[in-house]
Amino acid sequence: MYFVISDILDGAAIDDARRTLADTEFVDGRATAGWHAKLVKNNLQASGTDTGIVALRESLAKAIRANAMFQLAARPKTVSPLILSRYMPGMAYGSHV
C-alpha cells in the first residue's frame, strides 16, 4: 500500500534544498547498489561526502519523522539514511527491493 504525504516541506525549505542540490556532485548510483540492484539501477546519487548534502539529508529526515501522517502510516522504529537521486532522460531503477 502506498500513501502520498504532502506538505512535509514548506516553500522556503524546498528552495533551500534546490539550491543545495544545484551545487552538488552526483555520482553513479550503482556504487551503493547490491549485486542484484546493480543490474537494474541506472541513476545518479548525491555524493555522500558533501557537507551541504549531509545537512540536507538530516533536515529532510527530521521533517519526515516529524510528520504525523508518516508516523501513523509507517510507525518507524528507525529511518534509514536518505539517498538523494537524480534521473536524467533514459535513466530508471528497475524492479528492486
Side-chain angles (χ1 to χ4, degrees):
M1 180 183 303
Y2 290 100
F3 287 96
V4 177
I5 303 172
S6 61
D7 301 324
I8 290 179
L9 302 177
D10 63 20
I14 292 170
D15 290 342
D16 288 344
R18 285 182 174 160
R19 277 191 293 278
T20 298
L21 292 168
D23 295 333
T24 298
E25 175 188 13
F26 281 79
V27 296
D28 188 341
R30 289 175 289 197
T32 61
W35 71 270
H36 189 266
K38 284 182 194 277
L39 302 174
V40 296
K41 188 174 186 179
N42 179 20
N43 67 2
L44 301 172
Q45 287 177 200
S47 175
T49 59
D50 183 289
T51 57
I53 286 299
V54 170
L56 177 58
R57 283 186 184 131
E58 289 173 4
S59 68
L60 292 174
K62 183 179 178 181
I64 291 167
R65 285 191 306 267
N67 183 273
M69 178 59 80
F70 175 76
Q71 289 296 324
L72 289 170
R75 302 190 53 82
K77 181 176 179 180
T78 62
V79 176
S80 297
L82 301 179
I83 297 174
L84 302 172
S85 300
R86 174 178 285 170
Y87 291 83
M88 305 304 284
M91 291 183 160
Y93 196 159
S95 295
H96 65 287
V97 176

